[in-house]
Amino acid sequence: MSEYADIIIRNLTLYSFRNYLQNDIVHLLFSKLDYVCIPNYINTTNDEDSKSYTKHMYKTTVQKAKERLDALGFTISRFETLFNQSRNEAIDYSPFLFKLNIDYDSYEEIIKKRIDKYVTFKKWINSINKIIKYELKHGRSYPFINDDKEKMGIRTECDKIIYYSLKEDLMESFYGLKVEVIPIAYILRLILESCEPVDEIILDFTYLSAWAEDAIPKGRLAAENDEKTIVLVEGTSDKEILEFAIAKFYPHLSDLFYFMDFEDGYGGKRGGGASLIVTNLKAFYFSKLKSKFIAIFDNDVEGYQSKCSLENDIKNWSDNIKIFLYPQDKLFKSYPTLLPNGTICNDDINKKACSIELYLPDSIIKENEVFYPIEWEARRKIKNGSDEEYLYQGVITHKEEIKKKFISMRNKIEAGNQPFIEEDWKRIKKILDTIVFAFTI
């Protein structure tokens, strides 16, 4: 006798597992931080004499799951492109055409005609929304009873394609789409669009223990994600700051990213700086590695020059590689700079002097309520495509003091002695958003 575990949103059974959880599905919605263990749990809804047991589950929200799928690149906009490119092959029309008593040998020709006439991505979204809204409220009977069709308001062509696909529970499709053509992650992402952001997504896999002793240990590993996006930054400070911040802003996404190390834990070290990012990224590109890579440079002259160099040398980077500068901010439009005669003058320091330190909370880069100024260094020529420009490289003063202040604040926050105030870290969050949602377009 098999055992089952379901992903549930309200009354909607989103996905069912038989005997064991599937890593390739679980990690799309949940991180290992979403695992919940409740010892001595008693289900009071069934029987007053119920015995206690240990409950094993994953729990997240729709909003977090949407962000996770987006960060993995399974966005609605990408889904639309894929849907429009492959809809003839992707749509599971067979259950509906069978219902219409159409001869199987005519399916291919009829499918093309009916899709051209009746099916668009917008209509597909509307139908998914209609059916999911119904299931969220009422659930779904297996198989559908006759009343369901009328209650759900099944009228359009897209409604009927999805409805009859779900009605035929043995068909190898998911909500009317063949998963070998449209990855299931895209379909899940579209379904979540019809749910409320605060809706809980729950996967209780407690009862899988009745199938096998290893079902629970394996279930606890099912949210592990081995295919991380590799992020290349210029130095150890960048790595430390961004790893700390992503754990605060996006703990449910932090397992999707690996900030490339500068030390191996055994005394081995590698160099940093923009030039090393350039060298490493080119090596990854020419090695034709399939992993996702993000190279993100300081928003200063050296970083800008390196980004331009990469884009000048290789015109068409593969889709698994993204190249960015740290984002601009209104603070940097008019920031204190130190002139050679010692006077302070506000200047636009974008693409000139914005290293990771400039994105830290104001209290870290200020002394006596005054920002630490930028000190100008060498003048450099930047070639951006066919254009050339000359910019001065700038560096924030008191870098060592800033680093000490960051470490002190981080340690206090992690020890629970100081709150993490998101507004204070808003500039760092801009960097994180650039990284986390790099593959959403």
Side-chain angles (χ1 to χ4, degrees):
M1 196 68 180
S2 295
E3 295 292 336
Y4 294 87
D6 300 326
I7 299 176
I8 302 291
I9 308 174
R10 285 191 259 164
N11 293 305
L12 165 66
T13 300
L14 185 61
Y15 195 89
S16 293
F17 302 94
R18 179 173 174 267
N19 299 332
Y20 289 96
L21 301 186
Q22 297 168 231
N23 172 272
D24 59 338
I25 300 295
V26 174
H27 95 271
L28 293 172
L29 303 175
F30 304 99
S31 79
K32 61 183 180 181
L33 297 178
D34 296 321
Y35 169 70
V36 178
C37 177
I38 307 176
N40 302 315
Y41 180 82
I42 298 177
N43 188 348
T44 58
T45 60
N46 292 336
D47 187 347
E48 292 181 359
D49 298 324
S50 295
K51 294 181 179 180
S52 66
Y53 60 93
T54 300
K55 193 179 187 70
H56 301 274
M57 62 195 299
Y58 287 104
K59 183 188 290 187
T60 188
T61 66
V62 166
Q63 180 61 34
K64 289 180 178 179
K66 285 165 64 175
E67 289 176 354
R68 191 169 176 87
L69 287 164
D70 285 349
L72 288 165
F74 298 107
T75 63
I76 299 296
S77 60
R78 285 191 168 195
F79 183 13
E80 181 176 8
T81 300
L82 183 58
F83 182 92
N84 290 333
Q85 289 173 344
S86 59
R87 56 184 187 167
N88 285 358
E89 298 77 31
I91 295 175
D92 184 13
Y93 241 112
S94 298
F96 179 40
L97 295 184
F98 179 78
K99 179 69 177 178
L100 297 178
N101 296 317
I102 293 174
D103 182 71
Y104 182 78
D105 293 334
S106 305
Y107 275 18
E108 188 172 337
E109 180 183 353
I110 291 173
I111 285 172
K112 187 178 185 312
K113 288 181 179 179
R114 294 186 78 104
I115 284 177
D116 289 342
K117 186 174 182 179
Y118 298 116
V119 178
T120 66
F121 187 67
K122 184 176 181 180
K123 290 177 180 178
W124 194 267
I125 289 177
N126 291 339
S127 294
I128 285 287
N129 184 60
K130 178 190 296 185
I131 291 169
I132 295 302
K133 293 287 189 186
Y134 178 88
E135 291 188 308
L136 285 168
K137 187 173 182 179
H138 303 286
R140 186 201 311 169
S141 54
Y142 290 95
F144 279 132
I145 57 178
N146 292 331
D147 287 350
D148 283 331
K149 184 179 175 184
E150 188 62 33
K151 289 178 181 177
M152 295 169 81
I154 301 302
R155 294 180 180 84
T156 71
E157 184 89 353
C158 293
D159 291 349
K160 293 170 185 176
I161 295 169
I162 299 168
Y163 173 81
Y164 285 109
S165 172
L166 293 173
K167 189 174 174 65
E168 297 293 330
D169 201 35
L170 298 177
M171 300 301 295
E172 293 184 2
S173 63
F174 190 66
Y175 282 87
L177 295 172
K178 298 173 185 176
V179 294
E180 69 270 18
V181 182
I182 304 282
I184 194 171
Y186 285 114
I187 309 169
L188 292 171
R189 178 63 183 84
L190 183 58
I191 289 171
L192 295 183
E193 203 68 12
S194 297
C195 306
E196 294 298 323
V198 296
D199 281 343
E200 285 189 331
I201 307 178
I202 296 173
L203 169 56
D204 184 346
F205 59 102
T206 303
Y207 295 111
L208 296 187
S209 61
W211 171 255
E213 290 184 358
D214 65 345
I216 298 300
K218 286 184 176 179
R220 293 190 60 177
L221 297 174
E224 297 283 348
N225 176 55
D226 296 326
E227 296 184 13
K228 300 180 185 294
T229 296
I230 299 171
V231 185
L232 289 78
V233 294
E234 292 192 24
T236 55
S237 292
D238 303 71
K239 173 181 167 64
E240 290 174 2
I241 292 167
L242 293 173
E243 285 183 333
F244 166 74
I246 198 171
K248 295 299 179 183
F249 280 107
Y250 296 113
H252 54 295
L253 306 181
S254 58
D255 65 315
L256 303 180
F257 299 91
Y258 168 66
F259 292 85
M260 196 166 168
D261 280 321
F262 293 88
E263 299 179 12
D264 64 2
Y266 301 98
K269 297 183 179 182
R270 72 175 182 90
S275 61
L276 263 295
I277 292 182
V278 171
T279 300
N280 287 326
L281 196 65
K282 284 184 176 180
F284 296 145
Y285 170 78
F286 285 109
S287 298
K288 302 187 184 304
L289 298 176
K290 299 302 181 185
S291 298
K292 292 178 182 176
F293 298 92
I294 297 171
I296 188 160
F297 297 95
D298 289 355
N299 179 18
D300 61 8
V301 171
E302 188 175 356
Y304 180 43
Q305 185 178 45
S306 298
K307 180 176 182 291
C308 290
S309 171
L310 285 170
E311 292 170 344
N312 291 335
D313 292 347
I314 299 174
K315 302 300 182 184
N316 297 302
W317 288 88
S318 49
D319 291 340
N320 64 316
I321 294 176
K322 300 290 184 180
I323 305 168
F324 301 105
L325 290 181
Y326 286 161
Q328 297 190 13
D329 187 84
K330 63 181 181 180
L331 173 66
F332 309 148
K333 291 288 187 180
S334 181
Y335 189 89
T337 66
L338 187 61
L339 298 180
N341 63 6
T343 60
I344 300 293
C345 176
N346 283 12
D347 197 358
D348 185 346
I349 60 170
N350 284 298
K351 298 182 183 177
K352 301 174 187 175
C354 301
S355 58
I356 189 75
E357 291 81 8
L358 271 296
Y359 294 82
L360 289 169
D362 288 356
S363 60
I364 293 180
I365 58 174
K366 276 183 174 181
E367 186 174 20
N368 298 324
E369 296 303 314
V370 177
F371 286 108
Y372 292 127
I374 298 297
E375 191 169 23
W376 296 115
E377 296 182 340
R379 184 170 180 257
R380 299 186 185 180
K381 181 174 74 172
I382 311 296
K383 185 178 181 182
N384 184 4
S386 58
D387 298 327
E388 291 184 353
E389 56 185 314
Y390 291 86
L391 299 171
Y392 280 95
Q393 169 74 15
V395 178
I396 193 169
T397 56
H398 302 86
K399 267 204 169 193
E400 285 304 312
E401 178 65 21
I402 291 170
K403 185 174 182 179
K404 290 177 183 177
K405 289 167 77 173
F406 161 70
I407 292 172
S408 175
M409 182 180 285
R410 179 193 63 187
N411 291 346
K412 288 177 182 177
I413 291 171
E414 291 183 335
N417 297 324
Q418 181 174 328
F420 179 82
I421 302 173
E422 292 189 1
E423 179 64 19
D424 293 347
W425 297 81
K426 60 187 176 183
R427 290 188 293 272
I428 289 291
K429 186 175 185 294
K430 280 189 173 183
I431 300 176
L432 290 180
D433 288 346
T434 301
I435 293 168
V436 166
F437 303 113
F439 292 93
T440 59
I441 300 174

